[in-house]
Amino acid sequence: MFVTPAYAQAAGGGGAAIAQFLPIILIFAIVYFLMIRPQQKRVREHAAMVEALRRGDQVVTAGGLIGKISKVMEDNEVQVELAEGVKVRVVKSTITQVLSKTEPAKD
């Protein structure tokens, strides 16, 4: 005859469960559109920039070195000339910016 409070609370909670998860879903949607999606776009743009590197491009590395690409190697490396006669091998993904592009070769 007496209904315990715990049993009475569990009786009609179908719609309330969705209402409890709604703020979590909204927070995830906001984080996705404000943080995750723009970061994915930047990663795609950087990958496209790295793939488009060619000989003669003036670039900036992640370490802040500015140089001109003298050779594009096959295994994700480029040879960058920092000064006359000073050439270093750099991993392509560490190039952060292309300052000036060379014109593509005309066939």
Side-chain angles (χ1 to χ4, degrees):
M1 296 245 247
F2 295 109
V3 177
T4 63
Y7 184 71
Q9 287 177 351
I18 293 174
Q20 289 177 347
F21 286 113
L22 189 61
I24 295 171
I25 294 168
L26 288 174
I27 289 171
F28 179 75
I30 291 170
V31 166
Y32 176 77
F33 283 108
L34 293 180
M35 294 177 68
I36 297 171
R37 197 163 170 237
Q39 181 63 28
Q40 288 174 339
K41 182 180 176 187
R42 274 191 294 266
V43 167
R44 272 187 257 116
E45 288 172 353
H46 183 260
M49 179 201 63
V50 166
E51 286 300 316
L53 290 175
R54 63 182 58 190
R55 187 172 177 246
D57 291 350
Q58 189 172 6
V59 295
V60 178
T61 66
L65 299 174
I66 299 174
K68 189 174 277 193
I69 296 178
S70 61
K71 184 177 181 182
V72 179
M73 300 176 186
E74 291 188 22
D75 52 347
N76 290 330
E77 291 180 0
V78 292
Q79 189 174 35
V80 177
E81 185 172 7
L82 301 175
E84 193 172 325
V86 180
K87 296 179 181 179
V88 294
R89 288 179 19 193
V90 178
V91 177
K92 281 184 180 180
S93 62
T94 62
I95 293 177
T96 58
Q97 186 179 6
V98 177
L99 295 177
S100 64
K101 296 281 294 172
T102 57
E103 294 296 321
K106 303 211 178 190
D107 292 329

Short mmCIF file of all heavy atoms in Angstrom, two decimals, residues 55-56 61 65-73 77-91:
data_model
loop_
_atom_site.label_atom_id
_atom_site.label_comp_id
_atom_site.label_asym_id
_atom_site.label_seq_id
_atom_site.Cartn_x
_atom_site.Cartn_y
_atom_site.Cartn_z
N ARG A 55 60.23 23.48 -56.52
CA ARG A 55 61.55 24.11 -56.51
C ARG A 55 61.41 25.61 -56.77
O ARG A 55 60.68 26.03 -57.65
CB ARG A 55 62.40 23.46 -57.59
CG ARG A 55 63.81 23.89 -57.58
CD ARG A 55 64.62 23.04 -58.56
NE ARG A 55 65.97 23.50 -58.59
CZ ARG A 55 66.54 24.07 -59.64
NH1 ARG A 55 65.88 24.22 -60.75
NH2 ARG A 55 67.77 24.48 -59.56
N GLY A 56 62.10 26.41 -55.98
CA GLY A 56 62.09 27.85 -56.15
C GLY A 56 61.15 28.59 -55.21
O GLY A 56 61.20 29.80 -55.12
N THR A 61 59.99 27.74 -42.22
CA THR A 61 59.87 26.48 -41.50
C THR A 61 59.28 26.72 -40.11
O THR A 61 59.15 27.86 -39.67
CB THR A 61 61.24 25.79 -41.35
OG1 THR A 61 62.06 26.60 -40.52
CG2 THR A 61 61.90 25.56 -42.69
N LEU A 65 63.03 29.50 -39.85
CA LEU A 65 64.04 29.71 -40.88
C LEU A 65 63.35 30.03 -42.21
O LEU A 65 62.37 29.39 -42.58
CB LEU A 65 64.91 28.46 -41.04
CG LEU A 65 65.70 28.04 -39.80
CD1 LEU A 65 66.38 26.72 -40.05
CD2 LEU A 65 66.71 29.10 -39.44
N ILE A 66 63.89 31.02 -42.91
CA ILE A 66 63.36 31.40 -44.21
C ILE A 66 64.38 30.99 -45.27
O ILE A 66 65.57 31.30 -45.14
CB ILE A 66 63.10 32.92 -44.29
CG1 ILE A 66 62.08 33.32 -43.24
CG2 ILE A 66 62.63 33.31 -45.69
CD1 ILE A 66 61.87 34.81 -43.13
N GLY A 67 63.90 30.29 -46.28
CA GLY A 67 64.81 29.86 -47.33
C GLY A 67 64.05 29.54 -48.60
O GLY A 67 62.83 29.64 -48.67
N LYS A 68 64.81 29.14 -49.60
CA LYS A 68 64.23 28.82 -50.90
C LYS A 68 64.43 27.33 -51.15
O LYS A 68 65.51 26.78 -50.91
CB LYS A 68 64.93 29.63 -51.98
CG LYS A 68 64.26 29.53 -53.34
CD LYS A 68 64.91 30.47 -54.32
CE LYS A 68 64.28 31.83 -54.12
NZ LYS A 68 64.58 32.77 -55.19
N ILE A 69 63.38 26.67 -51.63
CA ILE A 69 63.47 25.23 -51.91
C ILE A 69 64.36 25.03 -53.12
O ILE A 69 64.12 25.60 -54.19
CB ILE A 69 62.08 24.63 -52.15
CG1 ILE A 69 61.24 24.73 -50.88
CG2 ILE A 69 62.20 23.18 -52.61
CD1 ILE A 69 59.84 24.21 -51.01
N SER A 70 65.42 24.23 -52.94
CA SER A 70 66.32 23.95 -54.05
C SER A 70 66.08 22.57 -54.64
O SER A 70 66.45 22.32 -55.79
CB SER A 70 67.78 24.09 -53.60
OG SER A 70 68.05 23.17 -52.57
N LYS A 71 65.44 21.69 -53.88
CA LYS A 71 65.20 20.33 -54.39
C LYS A 71 64.04 19.72 -53.60
O LYS A 71 63.99 19.83 -52.38
CB LYS A 71 66.46 19.48 -54.22
CG LYS A 71 66.39 18.10 -54.79
CD LYS A 71 67.73 17.40 -54.61
CE LYS A 71 67.72 16.01 -55.19
NZ LYS A 71 68.99 15.32 -54.96
N VAL A 72 63.12 19.08 -54.30
CA VAL A 72 62.02 18.36 -53.66
C VAL A 72 62.37 16.88 -53.72
O VAL A 72 62.50 16.31 -54.81
CB VAL A 72 60.67 18.64 -54.35
CG1 VAL A 72 59.56 17.84 -53.69
CG2 VAL A 72 60.35 20.12 -54.32
N MET A 73 62.52 16.26 -52.56
CA MET A 73 62.88 14.84 -52.49
C MET A 73 61.61 14.01 -52.35
O MET A 73 60.55 14.53 -52.01
CB MET A 73 63.82 14.61 -51.32
CG MET A 73 65.10 15.39 -51.44
SD MET A 73 66.10 15.17 -49.99
CE MET A 73 67.40 16.31 -50.33
N GLU A 77 60.64 15.01 -47.85
CA GLU A 77 61.68 15.96 -47.49
C GLU A 77 61.88 16.94 -48.64
O GLU A 77 61.61 16.63 -49.79
CB GLU A 77 63.01 15.25 -47.23
CG GLU A 77 63.03 14.40 -45.99
CD GLU A 77 64.38 13.73 -45.79
OE1 GLU A 77 65.29 13.93 -46.61
OE2 GLU A 77 64.51 13.00 -44.81
N VAL A 78 62.35 18.11 -48.29
CA VAL A 78 62.78 19.10 -49.28
C VAL A 78 64.15 19.61 -48.86
O VAL A 78 64.50 19.59 -47.67
CB VAL A 78 61.79 20.28 -49.42
CG1 VAL A 78 60.50 19.84 -50.04
CG2 VAL A 78 61.55 20.96 -48.11
N GLN A 79 64.91 20.06 -49.84
CA GLN A 79 66.19 20.68 -49.54
C GLN A 79 65.99 22.19 -49.64
O GLN A 79 65.55 22.69 -50.67
CB GLN A 79 67.25 20.20 -50.52
CG GLN A 79 68.64 20.62 -50.16
CD GLN A 79 69.66 19.99 -51.10
OE1 GLN A 79 69.40 19.81 -52.27
NE2 GLN A 79 70.81 19.66 -50.55
N VAL A 80 66.27 22.89 -48.56
CA VAL A 80 66.05 24.33 -48.50
C VAL A 80 67.40 25.02 -48.43
O VAL A 80 68.25 24.68 -47.61
CB VAL A 80 65.19 24.71 -47.26
CG1 VAL A 80 65.01 26.20 -47.16
CG2 VAL A 80 63.84 24.01 -47.33
N GLU A 81 67.56 26.01 -49.29
CA GLU A 81 68.79 26.80 -49.29
C GLU A 81 68.54 28.04 -48.44
O GLU A 81 67.72 28.89 -48.76
CB GLU A 81 69.17 27.19 -50.71
CG GLU A 81 70.50 27.90 -50.77
CD GLU A 81 70.97 28.13 -52.21
OE1 GLU A 81 70.21 27.86 -53.14
OE2 GLU A 81 72.11 28.58 -52.36
N LEU A 82 69.24 28.11 -47.31
CA LEU A 82 69.07 29.22 -46.37
C LEU A 82 69.90 30.43 -46.77
O LEU A 82 69.46 31.57 -46.62
CB LEU A 82 69.44 28.77 -44.96
CG LEU A 82 68.64 27.59 -44.40
CD1 LEU A 82 69.18 27.17 -43.06
CD2 LEU A 82 67.18 27.94 -44.32
N ALA A 83 71.10 30.18 -47.25
CA ALA A 83 71.99 31.22 -47.75
C ALA A 83 72.77 30.60 -48.90
O ALA A 83 72.67 29.40 -49.15
CB ALA A 83 72.94 31.69 -46.65
N GLU A 84 73.55 31.39 -49.58
CA GLU A 84 74.29 30.85 -50.71
C GLU A 84 75.26 29.77 -50.24
O GLU A 84 76.13 30.02 -49.40
CB GLU A 84 75.06 31.98 -51.40
CG GLU A 84 75.60 31.57 -52.75
CD GLU A 84 76.19 32.75 -53.49
OE1 GLU A 84 75.66 33.86 -53.36
OE2 GLU A 84 77.18 32.54 -54.19
N GLY A 85 75.05 28.58 -50.72
CA GLY A 85 75.90 27.45 -50.36
C GLY A 85 75.50 26.74 -49.07
O GLY A 85 76.12 25.76 -48.69
N VAL A 86 74.48 27.20 -48.37
CA VAL A 86 74.03 26.56 -47.13
C VAL A 86 72.68 25.90 -47.39
O VAL A 86 71.66 26.57 -47.53
CB VAL A 86 73.89 27.59 -45.98
CG1 VAL A 86 73.41 26.90 -44.71
CG2 VAL A 86 75.18 28.31 -45.74
N LYS A 87 72.70 24.57 -47.50
CA LYS A 87 71.48 23.83 -47.80
C LYS A 87 71.19 22.85 -46.66
O LYS A 87 72.10 22.22 -46.14
CB LYS A 87 71.62 23.06 -49.11
CG LYS A 87 71.79 23.98 -50.30
CD LYS A 87 71.95 23.20 -51.58
CE LYS A 87 72.14 24.16 -52.75
NZ LYS A 87 72.33 23.45 -54.00
N VAL A 88 69.92 22.77 -46.29
CA VAL A 88 69.51 21.84 -45.23
C VAL A 88 68.33 21.02 -45.74
O VAL A 88 67.55 21.48 -46.58
CB VAL A 88 69.11 22.57 -43.93
CG1 VAL A 88 70.30 23.25 -43.30
CG2 VAL A 88 68.00 23.56 -44.17
N ARG A 89 68.22 19.81 -45.22
CA ARG A 89 67.07 18.97 -45.53
C ARG A 89 66.01 19.20 -44.47
O ARG A 89 66.30 19.19 -43.27
CB ARG A 89 67.47 17.49 -45.56
CG ARG A 89 68.29 17.16 -46.76
CD ARG A 89 68.75 15.73 -46.84
NE ARG A 89 68.01 14.80 -46.01
CZ ARG A 89 68.42 13.57 -45.76
NH1 ARG A 89 69.55 13.14 -46.24
NH2 ARG A 89 67.71 12.77 -45.00
N VAL A 90 64.78 19.40 -44.91
CA VAL A 90 63.68 19.73 -44.01
C VAL A 90 62.52 18.79 -44.32
O VAL A 90 62.23 18.52 -45.48
CB VAL A 90 63.24 21.20 -44.20
CG1 VAL A 90 62.06 21.54 -43.32
CG2 VAL A 90 64.38 22.15 -43.95
N VAL A 91 61.85 18.32 -43.28
CA VAL A 91 60.64 17.52 -43.46
C VAL A 91 59.54 18.44 -43.97
O VAL A 91 59.35 19.55 -43.45
CB VAL A 91 60.22 16.85 -42.14
CG1 VAL A 91 58.94 16.08 -42.29
CG2 VAL A 91 61.33 15.94 -41.65
#
